């Protein structure tokens, strides 16, 4: 699973779209679920996490094989 951090931003959201187009397993990570849902395609899993919250990162990265 590829985790894209900052997926609600300009670069992160485009990276998610490109990975989806390639058919790769991707999860979009960000701090705000509403912003993520606006920025990424429907059906892409999301992980809500913040770099200031280690527990949220551990949960978000648990299934990750690659971090972008």
């Amino acid at each position: 699973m590829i985790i894209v951090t900052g997926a609600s931003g300009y670069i992160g959201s485009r990276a998610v779209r490109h990975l989806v187009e390639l058919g790769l397993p991707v999860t979009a990570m960000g701090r705000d679920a509403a912003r993520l849902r606006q920025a990424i395609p429907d059906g892409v899993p999301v992980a809500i996490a913040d770099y200031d919250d280690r527990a949220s990162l551990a949960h978000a990265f648990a299934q990750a094989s690659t971090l972008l």
Side-chain angles (χ1 to χ4, degrees), residues 8-10 14 22 25 28 37 41 47 57 59 64 66 68:
S8 62
Y10 181 82
R14 277 147 185 81
L22 293 174
R37 285 288 157 218
L57 291 176
H59 181 64
T66 304
L68 176 67

Side-chain angles (χ1 to χ4, degrees), residues 8 13 17 32-41:
S8 62
S13 64
R17 290 175 197 274
D32 185 319
R35 284 190 64 198
L36 278 172
R37 285 288 157 218
Q38 290 177 344
I40 61 169

Side-chain angles (χ1 to χ4, degrees), residues 22-64:
L22 293 174
L24 297 170
V26 61
T27 295
M29 188 185 108
R31 292 177 291 182
D32 185 319
R35 284 190 64 198
L36 278 172
R37 285 288 157 218
Q38 290 177 344
I40 61 169
D42 289 335
V44 173
V46 299
I48 306 304
D50 189 316
Y51 279 102
D52 290 331
D53 181 352
R54 287 184 150 200
S56 71
L57 291 176
H59 181 64
F61 297 159
Q63 301 298 318

Side-chain angles (χ1 to χ4, degrees), residues 4-5 7 9-21 26 68:
V4 177
T5 64
Y10 181 82
I11 293 171
S13 64
R14 277 147 185 81
V16 168
R17 290 175 197 274
H18 184 70
L19 292 168
V20 167
E21 289 172 2
V26 61
L68 176 67

